[in-house]
Amino acid sequence: MSSMRNAVQRRNHKERAQPLERSKWGVLEKHKDYSLRAKDYNAKKARLKALRHKASERNPDEFHFAMMNSSTHNGGQRVADRGNKALSMEVVKLLKTQDAAYLRTVAQKTRRARERLEEEFVLSGEGEERGVRVLGKEEKAGQKVVWVGNKEEQKRWGQENLEGESDEVATGRRDGDNEEDIEAPFEPKEAPPKALIEAQKSALHEARALRKRHKRQQEVKISKLEALKVREKSLMAAELELEMQRAKMSSSVGGVTKAGLKWKVRERKR
């Protein structure tokens, strides 16, 4: 009978929701939530009661020798020894030397990554990066270079070239064309088939998507280049600060960095 009773579809009992006029108070609190909150409140109440009882029975004349070696911070926080041994000056210098070598290695790695990324770009403009074009991604259009002797020949050649182009546009002929090679005037033909139109549309759509993807790749590379520059600058500043700390520890008043920059610590006049 129990198996048959479990096979019958039963009603799903849903929890009561928060009324609309009380929705600003959040989710409606259930009995399990109240139980957890009450248990936490009673535990804190019992802890405070025990502390008050200990404070009431405290002996003001109590003394033990640990009080002489302990101290407090911020009005009651006991500062205890963690068991760490103080390192000698030679060990600290060695550790700072290793830190400086690590920073120098990471900075060199970051610099190489930045240089490799900059080699892929052609930066145009003076001072700021106004435009960026990826090398090897675009094909150059064919150009004809004509060498002239002076500016007068350049102007005369430019005027003749413009006049020749206007004649070609007006007559439809080019230099060197024969009468037989001249085609008949253009006559409108029949409309292109629907398949050709669809192919042209798909090709245009693919070209637009390719340009968009290429632009996105450029933006990603530019942001990566800026991040590498910021990281390299931060590593160089950290390395310089570490070198200055090492110099102060060794009582030296100056030094020379890896880049050949001389620096000197200003000492206080005695």
Side-chain angles (χ1 to χ4, degrees), residues 232-251:
E232 182 182 1
K233 186 177 180 181
S234 302
L235 289 172
M236 292 177 64
E239 182 183 354
L240 184 61
E241 181 66 22
L242 200 57
E243 291 288 344
M244 186 174 295
Q245 291 181 6
R246 288 176 56 203
K248 289 181 179 179
M249 292 176 63
S250 60
S251 301

Side-chain angles (χ1 to χ4, degrees), residues 89-151:
M89 189 67 67
E90 289 74 13
V91 176
V92 175
K93 288 181 182 179
L94 180 60
L95 292 176
K96 287 186 178 294
T97 304
Q98 294 178 356
D99 294 342
Y102 171 74
L103 289 175
R104 195 176 299 112
T105 303
V106 176
Q108 187 177 7
K109 184 178 179 181
T110 306
R111 188 182 304 109
R112 289 177 180 175
R114 176 184 59 80
E115 291 175 355
R116 284 197 305 268
L117 194 59
E118 283 181 349
E119 288 177 358
E120 300 179 5
F121 291 99
V122 174
L123 306 180
S124 62
E126 297 179 0
E128 299 180 356
E129 299 174 359
R130 301 180 181 176
V132 180
R133 180 173 58 85
V134 181
L135 291 177
K137 298 295 182 179
E138 299 178 357
E139 296 182 357
K140 295 183 178 180
Q143 297 179 355
K144 181 181 179 181
V145 181
V146 179
W147 302 95
V148 295
N150 48 29
K151 293 185 177 180

Side-chain angles (χ1 to χ4, degrees), residues 31 61 127 139-140 158 162 195 201 204 243-244 249 261 267:
H31 179 71
D61 297 331
E139 296 182 357
K140 295 183 178 180
L162 290 176
K201 287 183 179 180
L204 183 62
E243 291 288 344
M244 186 174 295
M249 292 176 63
L261 179 64
E267 295 182 348

Side-chain angles (χ1 to χ4, degrees), residues 42-259:
N42 291 328
K44 291 179 180 177
K45 187 176 179 180
R47 195 179 305 127
L48 289 175
K49 184 178 179 180
L51 291 175
R52 290 193 190 98
H53 181 69
K54 287 183 178 181
S56 63
E57 294 183 352
R58 185 178 64 86
N59 182 11
D61 297 331
E62 182 182 1
F63 173 79
H64 50 88
F65 287 97
M67 293 181 179
M68 303 295 295
N69 300 326
S70 63
S71 60
T72 58
H73 179 64
N74 290 336
Q77 296 180 4
R78 183 168 175 267
V79 180
D81 186 12
R82 297 182 179 180
N84 299 330
K85 296 182 179 179
L87 301 177
S88 62
M89 189 67 67
E90 289 74 13
V91 176
V92 175
K93 288 181 182 179
L94 180 60
L95 292 176
K96 287 186 178 294
T97 304
Q98 294 178 356
D99 294 342
Y102 171 74
L103 289 175
R104 195 176 299 112
T105 303
V106 176
Q108 187 177 7
K109 184 178 179 181
T110 306
R111 188 182 304 109
R112 289 177 180 175
R114 176 184 59 80
E115 291 175 355
R116 284 197 305 268
L117 194 59
E118 283 181 349
E119 288 177 358
E120 300 179 5
F121 291 99
V122 174
L123 306 180
S124 62
E126 297 179 0
E128 299 180 356
E129 299 174 359
R130 301 180 181 176
V132 180
R133 180 173 58 85
V134 181
L135 291 177
K137 298 295 182 179
E138 299 178 357
E139 296 182 357
K140 295 183 178 180
Q143 297 179 355
K144 181 181 179 181
V145 181
V146 179
W147 302 95
V148 295
N150 48 29
K151 293 185 177 180
E152 287 75 9
E153 294 182 5
Q154 181 182 3
K155 293 180 180 179
R156 185 165 59 256
W157 182 86
Q159 294 177 358
E160 293 177 356
N161 190 18
L162 290 176
E163 292 176 358
E165 289 181 356
S166 61
D167 294 341
E168 290 176 3
V169 173
T171 59
R173 295 183 56 183
R174 297 182 179 178
D175 296 339
D177 292 344
N178 299 327
E179 295 293 338
E180 294 81 4
D181 298 335
I182 300 176
E183 298 179 356
F186 176 76
E187 295 181 359
K189 298 181 180 180
E190 298 179 357
K194 187 176 181 180
L196 181 60
I197 296 176
E198 294 295 334
Q200 291 177 354
K201 287 183 179 180
S202 62
L204 183 62
H205 180 70
E206 291 178 0
R208 190 181 295 111
L210 181 61
R211 288 196 302 269
K212 188 175 181 180
R213 186 163 57 251
H214 180 57
K215 183 179 179 181
R216 176 58 182 168
Q217 291 177 358
Q218 285 185 345
E219 292 176 355
V220 170
K221 288 187 177 182
I222 291 174
S223 61
K224 184 178 180 181
L225 181 60
E226 294 296 332
L228 287 174
K229 288 182 179 179
V230 173
R231 178 177 174 81
E232 182 182 1
K233 186 177 180 181
S234 302
L235 289 172
M236 292 177 64
E239 182 183 354
L240 184 61
E241 181 66 22
L242 200 57
E243 291 288 344
M244 186 174 295
Q245 291 181 6
R246 288 176 56 203
K248 289 181 179 179
M249 292 176 63
S250 60
S251 301
S252 61
V253 296
V256 181
T257 61
K258 188 177 180 181

